[in-house]
Amino acid sequence: MDEMKQLAITLMQCKSFKERQERLSEALDHLSFNHSDLYTVWFREMKKRELESNDPNKITKWLNNPSSKSFVKLHEALLLVKNNNIMAIEEYIKNLKCMLNQTIENGTNIDVAVKICHLIEKSTKLTIVHENLKHLIHQVNQLNKRSQRHMPTENFWTNHFESPQVDPLQQFNTQPAQHMNTPVWPNVLQPTNLKSVSGLPHFSMECFGYNHLEMIAKTNRAAILGDSQSLVELTIINQEMDGAVAKWLHYLKLHKYQWFFNSLSYLEIEFIDEDNIDDFIAKVNKNSITKGAQRKICISTKTLRDRPQKLNDLLLALDLEVTPNELCEFMSYMRDILHYPIPNKNCVVGDQLQQDIVLVMEKLLNQLLEKLGMVRSLIAQSLLGMSINKYLECILLIIGNQTFMKQQIDKSLLFAETLKYKVQRMPRNFN
């Protein structure tokens, strides 16, 4: 134990990240070469802990074990949980909410709670946890400031996993009117598109009918620009699409070229290809774009153009028998394409694209439920396990997109709750 403490002190005293990595690498090399058996045991234990931290079933067991230092396990688990493991993250949120509330009400375990809150605040992969618990974290921090004495830690970390009393599989109905007031996934999956967000453009929830997607760049032009303004001057800024495009460019790691896209309309962006990109760059007439970036832009805009047809192909494919590998590939595509901008009413007529996306998600859910019914236990790193996490990521992207209507959000949330209910009621093997 003393040697571990000394190693930790030595690493923390390093002046740079590079120096710390070198020291750590030297220590691990020494351990693996001179104490190979110990190194193997240590490595296996770390892998085991990582698996347990990402297994909601294991989380339940050690949080419910009064003999374990559950707050220490919880702190470690938050370090090891993967940011795309939505099921595990939601379980942590539920338990953390109860724990922090008990600290606030009773004034106990303040030091422990503050340490965990600090980890949540500084970790970028725990953003979802922080967003859902930031009000409680603030209260804990305020309580810590007011506290004048050290509070003894108690083991009050109890399990708060409760099984729902209603089976959503029996009440599954895609009519949004019947589920408008039904609370679903209250912790992680909260719609963010029904309230304005500071710094982002506002997208209206109203659409003009349900005809197929029409790329009409002058839709609502009079309301935005006035009839006297030329169509040539239409850009994503006055189309209120610059926020969505900015997120897309960050996802593609092309955000340094935001100046280029801000000078074009959504229709122009969609039709950029290898033959005309130089003309668009000349039109903007500001800076240059490297050839590598140009190729990446053209590939991405082609994906944008092909999206409606690809969704139609998916709808047909999902009516047939789908292998686990194909299902995982479909999920990867949906997760990727949902990072792409969805045109608002200033760019297109109707919301056919959103309707197609929700319909694809419904068919994907049916495929997942069918596959879950064919396995005896769920393994996290299996194709099916990865598909489930990707599906839940897609739901998060949908409910965070301001171009989807409320009934589409409600329907997507119902999909997520149905899948979660099914997963929680089957054996899970994460070993």
Side-chain angles (χ1 to χ4, degrees):
M1 187 65 68
D2 291 337
E3 289 80 1
M4 291 296 292
K5 289 181 179 179
Q6 184 59 45
L7 175 61
I9 293 172
T10 302
L11 293 176
M12 293 304 296
Q13 289 176 343
C14 294
K15 296 181 179 179
S16 66
F17 176 79
K18 182 179 180 181
E19 182 184 354
R20 183 181 299 175
Q21 287 295 103
E22 290 175 352
R23 291 288 185 89
L24 179 60
S25 180
E26 290 174 3
L28 291 176
D29 289 344
H30 172 79
L31 186 63
S32 64
F33 188 77
N34 296 293
H35 307 281
S36 55
D37 292 340
L38 180 60
Y39 178 82
T40 302
V41 171
W42 175 83
F43 177 78
R44 288 176 178 172
E45 177 64 21
M46 287 303 300
K47 291 295 293 182
K48 176 186 174 184
R49 292 188 177 206
E50 182 184 26
L51 289 173
E52 288 181 350
S53 298
N54 285 277
D55 178 5
N57 199 34
K58 295 288 178 64
I59 295 167
T60 303
K61 291 181 179 178
W62 53 255
L63 279 179
N64 200 33
N65 183 1
S67 63
S68 67
K69 294 182 178 179
S70 52
F71 58 87
V72 176
K73 293 282 290 182
L74 179 62
H75 188 273
E76 180 190 52
L78 290 172
L79 290 170
L80 298 177
V81 68
K82 297 178 180 178
N83 59 354
N84 62 351
N85 192 342
I86 308 299
M87 295 292 290
I89 287 176
E90 197 205 40
E91 301 293 0
Y92 286 125
I93 290 175
K94 288 195 294 186
N95 281 270
L96 282 165
K97 185 176 292 185
C98 294
M99 296 171 185
L100 296 180
N101 275 324
Q102 191 164 351
T103 294
I104 294 168
E105 292 172 5
N106 302 334
T108 54
N109 295 284
I110 296 178
D111 291 344
V112 173
V114 168
K115 188 173 182 65
I116 291 176
C117 289
H118 178 66
L119 172 62
I120 295 172
E121 287 177 310
K122 73 177 184 179
S123 176
T124 55
K125 71 175 184 178
L126 297 176
T127 303
I128 296 177
V129 179
H130 182 257
E131 283 298 314
N132 283 271
L133 301 177
K134 57 185 177 182
H135 61 293
L136 294 177
I137 293 174
H138 176 72
Q139 292 181 50
V140 169
N141 289 334
Q142 292 297 316
L143 182 63
N144 182 51
K145 290 179 181 179
R146 294 194 300 267
S147 178
Q148 299 298 319
R149 60 188 179 87
H150 177 73
M151 304 298 294
T153 57
E154 300 173 6
N155 191 0
F156 67 91
W157 310 94
T158 55
N159 177 49
H160 299 280
F161 298 95
E162 296 182 358
S163 301
Q165 300 299 316
V166 181
D167 184 350
L169 292 172
Q170 297 176 356
Q171 296 185 350
F172 188 85
N173 190 320
T174 58
Q175 294 297 325
Q178 298 180 15
H179 296 275
M180 191 165 297
N181 298 319
T182 303
V184 289
W185 273 44
N187 296 317
V188 178
L189 300 178
Q190 286 290 343
T192 59
N193 66 340
L194 302 181
K195 55 185 178 181
S196 60
V197 181
S198 177
L200 294 179
H202 171 69
F203 297 128
S204 173
M205 290 294 100
E206 299 177 1
C207 296
F208 298 131
Y210 297 91
N211 297 324
H212 195 272
L213 188 67
E214 297 180 46
M215 296 309 303
I216 305 175
K218 62 182 180 180
T219 302
N220 290 338
R221 181 187 59 177
I224 301 173
L225 304 175
D227 290 332
S228 61
Q229 194 162 357
S230 171
L231 179 62
V232 177
E233 298 177 19
L234 194 66
T235 68
I236 58 170
I237 294 177
N238 45 44
Q239 287 180 312
E240 297 182 329
M241 284 293 295
D242 51 321
V245 171
K247 288 183 178 181
W248 173 49
L249 295 177
H250 273 277
Y251 174 70
L252 298 175
K253 295 181 172 59
L254 290 171
H255 47 281
K256 65 184 292 185
Y257 301 110
Q258 178 82 36
W259 56 267
F260 171 64
F261 291 88
N262 280 351
S263 302
L264 304 175
S265 69
Y266 180 83
L267 179 63
E268 289 174 318
I269 291 172
E270 190 175 54
F271 284 97
I272 292 174
D273 59 25
E274 294 85 351
D275 297 328
N276 60 28
I277 188 169
D278 288 330
D279 295 332
F280 282 116
I281 295 173
K283 172 191 172 183
V284 175
N285 194 25
K286 286 187 178 180
N287 300 302
S288 61
I289 300 178
T290 65
K291 290 298 181 182
Q294 288 186 32
R295 285 193 295 272
K296 190 172 183 179
I297 289 172
C298 292
I299 292 172
S300 302
T301 53
K302 184 179 187 304
T303 302
L304 199 61
R305 285 195 303 277
D306 294 344
R307 179 170 54 184
Q309 184 58 50
K310 180 68 174 178
L311 290 173
N312 286 331
D313 293 342
L314 273 178
L315 289 172
L316 294 175
L318 290 170
D319 285 333
L320 306 175
E321 185 175 351
V322 177
T323 66
N325 189 60
E326 290 173 332
L327 185 59
C328 195
E329 290 179 1
F330 293 162
M331 294 294 184
S332 296
Y333 172 78
M334 290 302 297
R335 184 179 61 177
D336 178 61
I337 206 65
L338 283 168
H339 283 94
Y340 281 58
I342 295 178
N344 61 14
K345 68 173 187 177
N346 300 324
C347 307
V348 299
V349 173
D351 66 341
Q352 186 63 47
L353 183 61
Q354 291 92 321
Q355 291 186 59
D356 288 346
I357 289 172
V358 174
L359 185 55
V360 168
M361 295 303 294
E362 182 175 358
K363 289 180 179 291
L364 286 171
L365 173 65
N366 292 334
Q367 289 284 346
L368 286 173
L369 294 177
E370 180 183 342
K371 298 291 186 294
L372 285 170
M374 297 169 61
V375 297
R376 299 180 63 180
S377 63
L378 179 62
I379 301 175
Q381 298 305 315
S382 65
L383 287 172
L384 183 55
M386 290 188 288
S387 295
I388 289 171
N389 265 317
K390 290 176 183 178
Y391 185 89
L392 296 175
E393 286 185 75
C394 290
I395 297 295
L396 283 173
L397 291 169
I398 289 173
I399 66 176
N401 192 303
Q402 297 179 340
T403 60
F404 285 88
M405 299 179 69
K406 185 180 185 301
Q407 63 182 25
Q408 294 165 339
I409 297 294
D410 291 342
K411 197 171 183 179
S412 300
L413 287 168
L414 182 60
F415 295 162
E417 187 187 19
T418 303
L419 178 60
K420 178 190 170 188
Y421 182 90
K422 178 67 174 178
V423 169
Q424 287 183 334
R425 275 149 188 79
M426 67 180 301
R428 284 165 285 176
N429 181 5
F430 286 75
N431 295 323

